[in-house]
């Protein structure tokens, strides 16, 4: 079933700018011109409003509601169906907290929320109930937490999306953390290579590369996202020695077909992005319609193992609330 969306004049004007490279490649312009439900004339969802960058919106086929890009940012009435899932199955807002915005679920890793907003709100976001209302970590507190926990060897800077902050703030965090001898890695968790690839300017990447323990972790979910702009961003990172790894989320009707996931993983490897996890969609309230059966995940895993070499083949895992590690499906 296909039906056309009626775009607002504002949306049409913004999307027409894709032909002006100077404007389109300016990440701050992209952020200042994100599209909302009103721009697409669709009902919004108050608890998790729609927001999408012009860049990512322009990848979608607006004439087809099943388009894999459109479904990742377009609110759906299925999100409002009653379900038995929690908004916070992992107790992120409570039991794992070490300090404001700082969580520790695993002995060797600490996660800090650097920011509570994103440039594009993914409809499958497992933190959908926590974003914006959450409070950010303070760098000074994070340093204290790391130093007082000798087993911690890795810090994940997450959100929201930390890459929406100014360069100077990102560098302040990364350089401070990378200077701590106990840390082996500082991971920047961001979807910007997918939804806002122009955020990765040469100036920022060169400055980040000076802190030699930086990794970028992102979330490509579909081969349509492997655009020339995305390719340029990850090449810039790789060429400056910053490894890029990918955690996909398994989404019903978007990337659960074996040939789609195989193409994504092969495409990532071709661009030197390691596809290391494929997460089963978490049992979070409002995203049940994206969840696949366990059997689908298992069949997909078998398919990937027989069609891809180890470096291109992600582990198919589930994140279980009480587990001490990711659980293979
Ligand atoms: S980028 Fe990450 S935190 Fe932000 S909406 Fe998407 S999944 Fe959620």
């Amino acid at each position: 079933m296909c039906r056309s969306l009626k775009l607002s004049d504002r949306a049409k004007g913004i999307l027409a700018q894709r032909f002006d490279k100077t404007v389109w490649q300016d990440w701050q312009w992209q952020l200042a011109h994100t599209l909302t439900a009103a721009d697409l004339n669709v009902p919004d969802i108050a608890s998790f409003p729609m927001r999408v960058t012009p860049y990512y919106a322009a990848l979608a086929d607006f004439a087809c509601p099943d388009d894999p890009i459109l479904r990742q940012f377009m609110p759906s009435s299925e999100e409002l169906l009653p379900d038995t899932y929690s908004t916070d199955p992992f107790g992120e807002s409570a039991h794992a907290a070490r300090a404001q915005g700082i969580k520790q679920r695993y002995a060797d890793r600490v996660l800090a929320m650097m920011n509570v907003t994103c440039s594009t709100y993914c409809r499958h976001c497992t933190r959908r109930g926590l974003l914006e209302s959450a409070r950010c970590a303070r760098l000074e507190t994070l340093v204290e937490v790391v130093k007082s926990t000798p087993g911690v060897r890795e810090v994940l800077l997450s959100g929201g999306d930390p890459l929406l902050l100014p360069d100077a703030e990102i560098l302040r965090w990364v350089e401070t953390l990378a200077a701590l001898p106990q840390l082996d890695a500082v991971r920047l968790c961001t979807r910007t290579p997918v939804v806002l690839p122009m955020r990765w300017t040469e100036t920022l990447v060169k400055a980040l590369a000076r802190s030699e323990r930086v990794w970028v972790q992102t979330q490509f979910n579909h081969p349509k996202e492997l655009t020339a702009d995305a390719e340029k961003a990850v090449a810039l990172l790789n060429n400056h020695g910053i490894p890029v790894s990918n955690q996909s989320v398994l989404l019903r009707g978007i990337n659960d077909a074996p040939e789609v996931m195989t193409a994504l993983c092969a495409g990532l490897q071709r661009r030197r992005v390691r596809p290391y996890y494929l997460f089963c969609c978490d049992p979070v309230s409002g995203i049940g319609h994206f969840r696949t059966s366990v059997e689908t995940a298992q069949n997909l895993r078998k398919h990937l193992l027989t069609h891809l070499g180890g470096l291109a083949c992600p582990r198919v895992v589930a994140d279980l609330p009480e587990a001490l590690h990711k659980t293979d499906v």
Side-chain angles (χ1 to χ4, degrees), residues 48 118 120-122 124-125 131 159-161 191 219:
F48 193 52
C118 300
T120 297
Y121 286 128
C122 315
H124 55 274
C125 180
L131 291 175
D161 200 320
R191 224 184 160 202
Q219 186 199 129

